Amino acid sequence: MDFGPNKRESWKNVLTLAYQSLGVVYGDLSTSPLYVYKSAFAEDIHHSETNEEIYGVLSFVFWTLTLMPLLKYVFIVLKADDNGEGGTFALYSLLCRHARLCSLPNCQLADEELSEYQKDGISSISKSFLGSSLKSTLEKHKLLQRLLLVLALIGTCMVIGDGVLTPAISVFSAVSGFELSMSKEQHRYVEVPAACAILVFLFALQHYGTNRVGFLFAPVVITWLLCISAIGIYNICEWNPHVYQALSPYYMYKFLKKTQKKGWMSLGGILLCITGSEAMFADLGHFSQLSIKVAFTFVVYPSLILAYMGQAAYLSKHHINETDYRIGFYVSVPEKIRWPVLVIAILAAVVGSQSIITGTFSIIKQCSALGCFPKIKIIHTSSKIHGQIYIPQINWTLMLLCLAVTIGFRDTKRMGNASGLAVITVMLVTTCLMSLVIVLCWHKSVLLAVFFLFFFGSIEALYFSASLMKFLEGAWVPIALALIFSVIMYVWHYGTLKKYEFDVQNKVSINWLLALGPTLGIVRVRGIGLIHTELVSGIPAIFSHFVTNLLAFHQVVVFLCIKSVPVPHVSPGERFLVGRVGPKGYRLYRCIARYGYRDIHKDDIEFEKDLTCSIAEFIRWW
């Protein structure tokens, strides 16, 4: 009789998380109706009396939303979590553990005894011959390991590029509603300054953390989704109740047959309907698989489909308009509610931008933890809610780049071209990494992985080629940003490896230490001396300088190594790995503090307390 309440409670938790995820995960995806049709019809194709173009675009939007976010992410990719965490680096970390690839220089066998490793059920024996061959090939060839790292870095850098482009296009598209209430000349002087002011305000709020205003996020997105759903239903009933027929794939064929190359190039605008889909996977650590699936399947997906169908229904009956804005979102909004919808759209755009900005902070923290980004100041904005961080340097850099894109492009067409390429590149990288996860982590058939890669990869390659054709019309921006950040990351990672190799080559031999005797040839005074080192074994060269040049040193010496391991979290009980260096009388110890790439580093006082307790416990037992 006790099973029922527990089950109801679990569903209550799922629904609560699903409600919260609407504000954090789906803000970006929910605002895509603001600019999809406008971007698709920007230049390549035109809205004709036959409606073949608008029906074709609607069919592409429907099937793209169905196959990519719903089928690929909800039913497949979300299952490839790294102990509850998601995102590009989570997939890479998962592959590193299962294929025994060491992305960090100071990996140890003892790390594999962590409980996070054990949760994976990692087996060194693959169930298929091809799977085990692929695994051994990756382990043997350093070049393939570097290519895998570069692939992960490209995906990560495109996410950072998306952090620049998404706020720009979302806010700019939201304020474009002013275009229907003023002349084109007046609108030109209002749109860009208004968008820039909102962007500056958005980035200026970041240091407060999302926990201060986070409770507003879900209501704003829900209000927005209800709003576009209601407008969609109204437009369908009022203008074209038979628009549902355009959901047939046959209209995609008719669309491409009529428009040919121009229709293919317009796919770069159509793919914007799935911008923000990657957030479902990237933000998995804050929620649960089931809550994200429930929110998308039963709320976000139907709302978006109704919104796009409603816009298509309206446009199918309105072909001639005296303005140049006949394809925009706001033209399909009834005039009486246009201003309230504009306000809600701006709020939804800010929420959507907020989620991608905090996501960018999170992924840069992961890169830094795994030795692929310079060490930067990270501020935790909430002591209670995991993962809410603020990085000042990155925040202001993103703001300046956002403003530069907004002022430089001044239209959704080129912003859409840039954002589309960033979005589809991240999805391509996820598809490639997922195909490896299917074989190496899930131990499934290679044929299944090839089918996954071919099916989703071919769809994404089609969109990618269309986006790449717009290189000179804005698509160069994410490529340039990705190139800059990739070079920074790869050079930093390479430098980290070389520095560690240098430290290993110059470490002091244990024979030198033994020859000095227990006193080390100097006066040992009371206290504990900490010597920071990257080495997980051996004595760092700097210690020989201390002994040679100092007259006295602490009675207890601890070689402290703070390192990251390729798992999202390390439990407090497994944090410290303590060992003795040399004979017992020398009082030399090594302590390795291990952190996952999503862990929060403790403050100095708490860290010192835990460190001292761990060493004292080791001395007591050993």
Side-chain angles (χ1 to χ4, degrees):
M1 296 297 291
D2 295 332
F3 179 72
N6 291 333
K7 189 174 182 180
R8 283 196 296 273
E9 181 66 26
S10 67
W11 272 105
K12 182 182 177 181
N13 291 337
V14 167
L15 293 176
T16 303
L17 287 173
Y19 167 77
Q20 294 172 347
S21 71
L22 289 170
V24 177
V25 177
Y26 296 110
D28 185 15
L29 185 61
S30 299
T31 54
S32 56
L34 286 169
Y35 44 80
V36 169
Y37 280 111
K38 194 169 185 177
S39 298
F41 286 91
E43 186 178 278
D44 300 307
I45 54 177
H46 302 284
H47 185 30
S48 67
E49 296 284 343
T50 62
N51 286 328
E52 288 182 348
E53 293 85 1
I54 194 69
Y55 289 161
V57 170
L58 174 60
S59 186
F60 264 105
V61 167
F62 172 75
W63 286 105
T64 303
L65 276 170
T66 303
L67 292 176
M68 304 308 292
L70 187 61
L71 180 59
K72 178 186 170 184
Y73 280 91
V74 169
F75 290 106
I76 302 174
V77 175
L78 284 180
K79 295 179 180 178
D81 64 299
D82 182 13
N83 293 318
E85 299 294 337
T88 305
F89 251 89
L91 283 179
Y92 177 69
S93 172
L94 199 61
L95 287 169
C96 285
R97 295 205 304 278
H98 280 267
R100 299 293 197 276
L101 307 179
C102 190
S103 58
L104 296 165
N106 50 7
C107 292
Q108 296 172 281
L109 285 174
D111 296 337
E112 297 183 17
E113 296 174 6
L114 291 168
S115 57
E116 292 282 308
Y117 266 86
Q118 304 306 319
K119 285 181 185 177
D120 290 330
I122 297 174
S123 172
S124 59
I125 302 172
S126 183
K127 292 182 179 180
S128 68
F129 172 76
L130 289 174
S132 59
S133 299
L134 178 62
K135 180 176 177 292
S136 61
T137 303
L138 277 172
E139 289 175 356
K140 291 176 184 175
H141 295 85
K142 293 289 184 184
L143 178 61
L144 293 178
Q145 294 177 23
R146 290 195 190 100
L147 287 175
L148 191 63
L149 174 63
V150 168
L151 185 65
L153 290 180
I154 290 172
T156 302
C157 292
M158 282 298 182
V159 171
I160 297 172
D162 204 21
V164 172
L165 297 164
T166 292
I169 190 172
S170 296
V171 172
F172 192 85
S173 299
V175 301
S176 67
F178 292 119
E179 66 193 7
L180 296 175
S181 58
M182 58 183 67
S183 66
K184 192 172 182 179
E185 286 71 24
Q186 290 176 317
H187 173 251
R188 185 183 303 168
Y189 295 107
V190 171
E191 191 174 36
V192 174
C196 290
I198 292 171
L199 287 171
V200 170
F201 176 74
L202 172 65
F203 283 99
L205 285 178
Q206 293 304 310
H207 73 280
Y208 291 109
T210 55
N211 58 310
R212 304 280 179 91
V213 291
F215 68 95
L216 290 172
F217 286 2
V220 166
V221 175
I222 288 173
T223 305
W224 169 250
L225 289 171
L226 289 174
C227 180
I228 61 175
S229 300
I231 293 170
I233 293 170
Y234 169 80
N235 283 328
I236 292 168
C237 297
E238 179 72 17
W239 300 110
N240 190 351
H242 301 289
V243 73
Y244 68 88
Q245 295 175 356
L247 302 182
S248 168
Y250 175 65
Y251 283 89
M252 290 193 289
Y253 166 74
K254 286 181 70 176
F255 171 78
L256 291 176
K257 184 179 179 182
K258 180 179 179 180
T259 57
Q260 296 181 357
K261 184 181 177 182
K262 289 185 176 180
W264 165 62
M265 291 182 70
S266 72
L267 294 179
I270 294 172
L271 76 85
L272 293 176
C273 70
I274 53 175
T275 182
S277 299
E278 187 72 21
M280 284 194 284
F281 187 45
D283 292 330
L284 184 59
H286 302 295
F287 305 98
S288 65
Q289 286 186 29
L290 189 56
S291 63
I292 289 179
K293 290 177 180 180
V294 167
F296 181 79
T297 308
F298 297 105
V299 181
V300 179
Y301 178 74
S303 299
L304 291 175
I305 297 301
L306 286 172
Y308 287 117
M309 286 177 67
Q311 286 188 64
Y314 177 88
L315 294 171
S316 68
K317 301 298 181 181
H318 295 79
H319 301 89
I320 301 173
N321 199 308
E322 59 274 10
T323 71
D324 292 331
Y325 312 120
R326 62 179 184 271
I327 304 295
F329 167 77
Y330 290 102
V331 75
S332 65
V333 178
E335 195 169 348
K336 291 181 180 179
I337 61 169
R338 199 167 281 164
W339 281 104
V341 170
L342 174 64
V343 173
I344 298 170
I346 291 173
L347 290 174
V350 168
V351 171
S353 302
Q354 173 67 50
S355 63
I356 193 70
I357 292 167
T358 52
T360 304
F361 292 158
S362 179
I363 203 164
I364 286 176
K365 178 183 178 293
Q366 292 179 30
C367 293
S368 181
L370 293 175
C372 294
F373 201 85
K375 302 296 181 183
I376 47 179
K377 183 180 181 182
I378 297 174
I379 300 170
H380 296 275
T381 58
S382 173
S383 58
K384 298 178 181 178
I385 303 174
H386 164 72
Q388 291 195 356
I389 60 173
Y390 168 66
I391 306 177
Q393 300 97 318
I394 300 299
N395 182 65
W396 301 121
T397 302
L398 288 178
M399 188 193 77
L400 292 174
L401 290 172
C402 244
L403 293 174
V405 167
T406 305
I407 296 169
F409 285 163
R410 302 188 183 191
D411 63 68
T412 53
K413 175 192 166 186
R414 286 182 290 179
M415 288 185 196
N417 293 338
S419 182
L421 185 63
V423 168
I424 203 63
T425 304
V426 175
M427 289 192 167
L428 264 173
V429 169
T430 300
T431 300
C432 293
L433 294 177
M434 266 302 301
S435 60
L436 291 174
V437 167
I438 290 171
V439 177
L440 298 176
C441 305
W442 293 353
H443 306 296
K444 301 295 183 183
S445 168
V446 173
L447 292 176
L448 183 64
V450 171
F451 175 77
F452 177 87
L453 181 63
F454 178 78
F455 181 76
F456 291 107
S458 58
I459 297 171
E460 290 160 358
L462 179 67
Y463 281 116
F464 180 78
S465 62
S467 296
L468 206 57
M469 291 298 291
K470 304 292 182 69
F471 180 83
L472 297 177
E473 299 171 49
W476 60 269
V477 171
I479 295 176
L481 290 174
L483 185 63
I484 292 168
F485 279 102
S486 294
V487 169
I488 291 171
M489 289 181 177
Y490 191 81
V491 168
W492 186 265
H493 183 72
Y494 178 80
T496 302
L497 293 177
K498 289 299 177 184
K499 179 181 179 297
Y500 189 79
E501 289 176 8
F502 177 82
D503 289 343
V504 169
Q505 290 170 0
N506 291 275
K507 65 182 179 181
V508 178
S509 68
I510 191 69
N511 293 330
W512 172 84
L513 182 73
L514 295 174
L516 293 174
T519 62
L520 304 179
I522 54 177
V523 179
R524 304 289 291 271
V525 297
R526 292 184 63 183
I528 300 175
L530 296 181
I531 298 177
H532 185 266
T533 175
E534 298 293 332
L535 295 175
V536 292
S537 63
I539 303 167
I542 190 68
F543 184 64
S544 65
H545 292 283
F546 286 143
V547 173
T548 305
N549 296 296
L550 297 179
L551 298 176
F553 210 75
H554 296 90
Q555 192 175 27
V556 176
V557 178
V558 179
F559 299 111
L560 176 63
C561 173
I562 301 176
K563 72 168 194 172
S564 295
V565 288
V567 292
H569 304 284
V570 175
S571 65
E574 298 176 313
R575 175 86 64 216
F576 296 101
L577 198 62
V578 182
R580 198 184 302 278
V581 179
K584 188 174 183 179
Y586 284 62
R587 297 191 181 92
L588 299 177
Y589 303 93
R590 180 183 314 285
C591 183
I592 301 171
R594 301 176 291 185
Y595 287 89
Y597 58 78
R598 298 276 300 199
D599 276 332
I600 297 172
H601 288 239
K602 297 180 180 179
D603 58 43
D604 294 340
I605 297 173
E606 191 176 357
F607 177 80
E608 287 177 8
K609 181 182 176 182
D610 291 345
L611 175 65
T612 306
C613 289
S614 298
I615 296 170
E617 186 177 356
F618 175 82
I619 293 172
R620 189 179 302 117
W621 288 100
W622 300 96

